[in-house]
Amino acid sequence: MNVLFSLLAVGVLIALGYLGGQVAGLRFVFGVVIPYAAILVFIAGLVYKVIYWAKSPVPFRIPTTCGQETTLPWIKSSTLDNPHTTLGVLGRMALEVLFFRSLFRNTRMEIKEGPRVVYGENVYLWAAGLAFHWSFLIIFIRHFRFFTEPVPGFILAMQYVDGFMQIGVPVLYLTDLFLVAGLTFLFIRRLWSPQLRYISQAADYFPLLLILGVALTGIWMRHFTKTDIVGVKELAMGIVTFSPMVPESVGSVFFMHLILVCSLFAYFPFSKLMHMAGVFLSPTRNLANDNRMVRHVNPWNPEVEVHTYAQWEEEFKDKLEAAEIPLDKD
Amino acid sequence: MHDAKYIVPGLVAFLVLITLPLWYNAAMGRSAVGPTLQYPEGESQCVLPKDEMKGEHMQILDDWRDEAVRDGERYYVHPDGTTREKSLTNTCLGCHGDRAQFCIKCHDYAGVKPYCWDCHIEPERD
Ligand code: HEM
């Protein structure tokens, strides 16, 4: 049900894109108005969400400890998995953001004969996730050839490396393969296991199918139903130089690609995709585990009136002395 | 807002990165309009109508290459009725003589660098 709903939603978007490309009066709406709106929603929504999150106080240090804490000098501590310095935290965050280190520890539980519970390594989710995210990033950066004039050298260099295999004309990009393979795995994974299917929502399937739709329409446009790339660049440059135009030669496949991209951007701030910003704000990752080295005082603790032992001793000094109880002070 | 000293610079860095094309293009001062191309004099037709050539020319070249090199089919019939060679240098560049004013101008704008020119050369002119 959730899958069908997501599939339908992506299908409707593609149909809308087709319509937007075909109907002359809609081309400006789909080529300029919707993209501007999507960019605005994306930026404003993301900033709003981050500031909203930043309003939640994090009074205590709650890092997940995945290794030996720093204690005595002769006990080896795990500086990346249980960092106690800012440098260690930076290292841990870098590994998390760039290589999904915590996902690498993903395990799979199985019940073997016996019955015996066995935990095994399961790196497929990590590998597919990493392949997908890195490919997406590289494709995203490569697309800036449409938004910059002259095209910066590093984008040309990326294209060269990405198309290194020189398969076909226009050359096949390896990241396209990895992206589609990664997404397909992530999608099938949810359908495969009954447990996972049970907990999967439309909000889990929709982003996967949406991005798969973006990728497939893009590949379709590059290798099968060609469109006028120079026209696409004029449209894209029009957007970023605030002199919008929609050249006539830009075909419908492009509008399908674009409406899916716009939907992705507009949907982003309200979806689980916000983990892009959220990963940086995770207190279980971005705090140093120095609870035993530094005293952290809860910032909104009320003033508590305390009566220390020293004060108590002072108060009952005579009686304590009379009972011959030793005083701390002496 | 808590931890503003980390979060605000993070957000600003993100905003600058995502809007980089705006600043880049403003600094470069180029207009959004594509290049003006020099068409061959005295010719009126390409291998396909112009609108199709825009998207399909690399496909034609790829097909020609396979047909000429692998199958030995070296000739095609141009829309004007004449038979011509399936050749990058002799045919395409025969009409579109000045590569720099045509192919390359357009490719630079679109950010494409075909590797064909590693081997294929421009025909010599008098
Ligand atoms: C998150 C955003 C986007 C993703 C993930 C994406 C993905 C893709 C992919 C995978 C391809 C296949 C070829 C390649 O890898 O270069 C492609 C092609 C293409 N995309 Fe996108 N795209 C995105 C945004 C855009 C935007 C905003 C535009 C508008 C300018 C655009 C225009 C195109 C065009 C014109 C092609 C065909 C390129 C060619 O023929 O070489 N894409 N896209």
Side-chain angles (χ1 to χ4, degrees):
Chain A
M1 207 34 231
N2 289 335
V3 193
L4 290 184
F5 174 78
S6 309
L7 203 60
L8 190 73
V10 175
V12 167
L13 286 174
I14 294 180
L16 274 178
Y18 180 76
L19 204 70
Q22 290 292 315
V23 182
L26 289 180
R27 287 172 69 92
F28 191 78
V29 177
F30 279 73
V32 175
V33 179
I34 293 183
Y36 271 128
I39 295 169
L40 280 180
V41 170
F42 173 69
I43 292 181
L46 191 137
V47 170
Y48 169 79
K49 261 278 164 70
V50 168
I51 290 180
Y52 175 76
W53 282 340
K55 285 188 176 148
S56 323
V58 182
F60 298 117
R61 308 240 136 180
I62 51 167
T64 36
T65 57
C66 311
Q68 172 63 48
E69 185 181 353
T70 311
T71 50
L72 299 166
W74 45 272
I75 299 179
K76 209 174 159 210
S77 83
S78 190
T79 40
L80 282 174
D81 290 324
N82 198 342
H84 67 284
T85 57
T86 308
L87 199 65
V89 169
L90 286 179
R92 180 188 212 186
M93 285 301 288
L95 285 175
E96 185 65 35
V97 171
L98 299 176
F99 303 112
F100 310 170
R101 186 174 168 90
S102 63
L103 188 59
F104 188 63
R105 292 203 194 84
N106 182 36
T107 52
R108 178 187 49 204
M109 191 195 75
E110 263 177 290
I111 300 179
K112 292 248 162 102
E113 255 179 74
R116 196 159 58 94
V117 175
V118 177
Y119 288 89
E121 273 185 40
N122 184 6
V123 296
Y124 298 115
L125 178 60
W126 172 80
L130 205 64
F132 156 63
H133 280 85
W134 272 105
S135 303
F136 190 105
L137 179 67
I138 293 171
I139 291 171
F140 185 76
I141 297 176
R142 274 207 281 95
H143 270 68
F144 278 87
R145 75 172 157 126
F146 297 125
F147 295 92
T148 49
E149 174 61 25
V151 181
F154 77 94
I155 292 182
L156 296 175
M158 278 172 98
Q159 283 181 7
Y160 174 74
V161 175
D162 207 345
F164 188 72
M165 294 293 169
Q166 300 190 335
I167 300 168
V169 173
V171 292
L172 179 76
Y173 289 129
L174 294 179
T175 46
D176 288 9
L177 287 185
F178 292 143
L179 181 77
V180 173
L183 280 169
T184 309
F185 175 88
L186 295 175
F187 180 62
I188 297 210
R189 186 185 80 102
R190 286 195 179 273
L191 292 179
W192 197 263
S193 129
Q195 294 95 317
L196 205 58
R197 197 163 61 228
Y198 182 70
I199 59 165
S200 293
Q201 307 283 339
D204 296 316
Y205 293 117
F206 180 63
L208 281 177
L209 288 176
L210 189 62
I211 299 173
L212 201 58
V214 171
L216 291 180
T217 47
I219 293 170
W220 188 255
M221 174 164 43
R222 182 173 170 84
H223 297 286
F224 302 100
T225 310
K226 313 285 167 95
T227 193
D228 173 23
I229 302 293
V230 172
V232 169
K233 177 146 186 184
E234 286 180 329
L235 187 152
M237 286 292 291
I239 288 181
V240 290
T241 55
F242 301 103
S243 46
M245 60 169 128
V246 183
E248 259 177 48
S249 46
V250 176
S252 275
V253 207
F254 172 72
F255 281 87
M256 297 184 203
H257 190 59
L258 192 63
I259 190 75
L260 291 175
V261 172
C262 291
S263 310
L264 180 66
F265 276 92
Y267 172 67
F268 198 96
F270 314 101
S271 68
K272 68 176 201 172
L273 300 173
M274 272 303 283
H275 69 268
M276 179 179 90
V279 66
F280 293 99
L281 302 184
S282 307
T284 55
R285 303 276 144 198
N286 66 14
L287 293 172
N289 184 12
D290 55 4
N291 284 317
R292 297 189 178 178
M293 306 160 81
V294 184
R295 180 157 187 239
H296 298 281
V297 181
N298 186 350
W300 71 86
N301 271 354
E303 271 307 317
V304 178
E305 232 181 90
V306 288
H307 192 59
T308 61
Y309 181 74
Q311 288 168 336
W312 182 84
E313 197 183 74
E314 193 62 34
E315 195 179 331
F316 297 104
K317 203 171 162 197
D318 316 338
K319 298 193 170 81
L320 289 167
E321 266 171 358
E324 288 184 8
I325 294 173
L327 295 180
D328 256 13
K329 239 174 29 183
D330 307 325
Chain B
M1 192 168 153
H2 301 269
D3 285 324
K5 69 173 188 280
Y6 300 118
I7 292 172
V8 171
L11 271 180
V12 169
F14 171 76
L15 289 178
V16 168
L17 270 182
I18 202 81
T19 55
L20 214 51
L22 297 185
W23 321 124
Y24 181 84
N25 288 316
M28 290 296 168
R30 302 284 182 94
S31 85
V33 186
T36 28
L37 301 171
Q38 234 176 42
Y39 294 113
E41 280 163 32
E43 299 286 350
S44 59
Q45 278 172 318
C46 197
V47 180
L48 288 176
K50 185 169 154 184
D51 280 345
E52 287 174 48
M53 276 319 276
K54 279 180 198 285
E56 298 289 344
H57 65 275
M58 50 306 234
Q59 193 66 48
I60 295 174
L61 281 168
D62 200 24
D63 294 345
W64 279 12
R65 175 169 63 177
D66 287 354
E67 288 157 11
V69 178
R70 296 188 186 159
D71 308 334
E73 297 164 12
R74 284 191 180 260
Y75 297 94
Y76 80 101
V77 181
H78 199 74
D80 66 11
T82 51
T83 301
R84 297 184 197 221
E85 206 187 341
K86 289 179 181 167
S87 167
L88 173 55
T89 306
N90 297 337
T91 307
C92 302
L93 296 184
C95 278
H96 301 291
D98 194 351
R99 190 174 58 179
Q101 288 304 315
F102 191 70
C103 314
I104 294 191
K105 208 170 180 185
C106 208
H107 289 166
D108 276 352
Y109 181 72
V112 237
K113 284 230 177 314
Y115 57 89
C116 321
W117 313 127
D118 292 357
C119 306
H120 291 268
I121 52 165
E122 239 176 289
E124 277 181 36
R125 317 252 138 206
D126 341 293

